[in-house]
């Protein structure tokens, strides 16, 4: 069975600080996908990134970066120079790719990030 | 804007009633998913349809049912509602094997 663990329930940082959100996953599959979603106070789930298990290159998108380490089954998310608009709940999720067409997501419990102005 | 449209955005209903949530997937996406987000259960996968056929089932109660129509829109029917069914219900869609995009959700309050 798949499992995603986000051990940090809540994080508060002062604006402009860097912050890293941790994500650890468990799966028996060799092929899988990892995701991060953002849920702002308005409630919608916003897609941030999708990474497949064969691509361990780190990715950077503006102030966001992701560190995928298969050896430790982790897919951590760093926000550099945080801003108040980054305040949200962030979810890490895992999708199996072993059965093509069955891409249901297993979510972690989320990390509530508060950026203090 | 993800391109996934859900209606209604908010719904308040009484226990024992039945409601229908509607979802229009992104143009071209054949897969539709339904998820429930509640305070105690977190984000839970309910059910997936692909091109009109049920593809995968999660923790969906027997009081709940869904379908995907020929035009690919989907409906989630919730019946005999209980207080514990109050939650945010998400629809999502994807092109097979690719990123899953979520709608803005339907807030259901059962009183």
């Amino acid at each position: 069975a798949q499992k995603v663990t986000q051990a940090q329930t809540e994080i508060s940082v002062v604006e402009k600080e860097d912050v890293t959100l941790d994500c650890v996953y468990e799966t028996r599959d060799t092929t899988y996908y990892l995701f991060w979603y953002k849920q702002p106070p308005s409630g919608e789930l916003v897609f941030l990134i999708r990474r497949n298990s064969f691509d361990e290159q780190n990715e950077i998108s503006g102030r966001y970066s992701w560190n995928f380490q298969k050896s430790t089954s982790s897919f951590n998310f760093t926000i550099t120079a945080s801003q108040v608009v980054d305040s949200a709940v962030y979810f890490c999720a895992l999708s199996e790719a072993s059965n093509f067409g069955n891409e249901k997501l297993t979510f972690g419990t989320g990390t509530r990030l508060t950026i203090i102005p | 804007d993800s391109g996934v449209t859900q209606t209604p955005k908010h719904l308040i209903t009484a226990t024992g009633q039945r409601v229908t949530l509607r979802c229009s997937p992104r143009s071209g996406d054949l897969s539709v998913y339904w998820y429930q987000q509640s305070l105690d259960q977190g984000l839970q996968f309910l059910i997936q349809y692909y091109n009109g056929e049920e593809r995968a089932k999660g923790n969906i109660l027997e009081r709940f049912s869904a379908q995907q129509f020929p035009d690919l829109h989907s409906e989630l029917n919730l019946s005999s509602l209980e207080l514990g069914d109050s939650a945010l219900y998400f629809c999502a869609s994807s092109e097979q094997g690719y990123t899953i995009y979520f709608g803005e959700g339907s807030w259901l309050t059962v009183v």
Side-chain angles (χ1 to χ4, degrees):
Chain A
Q2 298 180 110
K3 186 178 179 182
V4 176
T5 301
Q6 293 181 257
Q8 303 152 310
T9 307
E10 295 191 28
I11 300 176
S12 294
V13 300
V14 176
E15 195 173 19
K16 296 183 184 175
E17 287 185 352
D18 299 347
V19 58
T20 295
L21 309 182
D22 298 333
C23 173
V24 174
Y25 62 92
E26 295 176 28
T27 180
R28 294 179 185 175
D29 293 311
T30 56
T31 304
Y32 50 89
Y33 293 93
L34 294 163
F35 299 78
W36 276 94
Y37 287 86
K38 174 183 180 180
Q39 187 174 38
S42 50
E44 72 269 28
L45 274 172
V46 178
F47 166 77
L48 296 179
I49 190 171
R50 171 182 180 265
R51 174 55 54 89
N52 76 54
S53 53
F54 295 110
D55 182 2
E56 289 193 67
Q57 281 193 344
N58 291 332
E59 182 156 341
I60 298 174
S61 176
R63 296 183 298 105
Y64 295 171
S65 62
W66 291 269
N67 184 342
F68 177 28
Q69 292 198 346
K70 224 168 172 178
S71 60
T72 56
S73 297
S74 65
F75 187 43
N76 296 337
F77 172 33
T78 297
I79 301 175
T80 303
S82 60
Q83 301 176 1
V84 172
V85 293
D86 296 327
S87 295
V89 180
Y90 290 86
F91 290 95
C92 181
L94 170 67
S95 167
E96 290 180 350
S98 54
N99 299 315
F100 188 67
N102 180 4
E103 308 103 347
K104 74 176 185 71
L105 295 170
T106 299
F107 282 91
T109 51
T111 297
R112 181 177 299 277
L113 176 64
T114 301
I115 309 299
I116 303 165
Chain B
D1 184 2
S2 67
V4 179
T5 303
Q6 290 187 245
T7 57
K9 286 189 170 31
H10 298 271
L11 191 55
I12 301 175
T13 191
T15 53
Q17 295 298 305
R18 172 190 169 96
V19 299
T20 298
L21 309 181
R22 193 178 192 280
C23 171
S24 294
R26 295 188 322 149
S27 178
D29 286 355
L30 299 181
S31 277
V32 169
Y33 312 76
W34 286 97
Y35 284 80
Q36 179 195 57
Q37 185 178 27
S38 61
L39 282 175
D40 53 347
Q41 297 287 332
L43 269 161
Q44 297 279 320
F45 167 71
L46 295 179
I47 197 164
Q48 176 197 2
Y49 281 83
Y50 177 78
N51 201 20
E53 293 189 5
E54 183 183 304
R55 182 63 66 97
K57 219 167 184 176
N59 300 321
I60 188 167
L61 299 172
E62 285 192 10
R63 300 183 286 108
F64 296 180
S65 64
Q67 54 184 327
Q68 185 180 27
F69 295 86
D71 67 352
L72 300 178
H73 91 271
S74 177
E75 292 181 357
L76 178 67
N77 300 296
L78 315 174
S79 61
S80 302
L81 285 167
E82 301 174 359
L83 296 178
D85 297 327
S86 296
L88 179 55
Y89 290 86
F90 284 107
C91 173
S93 75
S94 75
E95 187 179 342
Q96 191 169 3
Y98 291 91
T99 297
I100 300 174
Y101 290 94
F102 285 78
E104 294 186 349
S106 292
W107 291 89
L108 173 66
T109 302
V110 182
V111 297

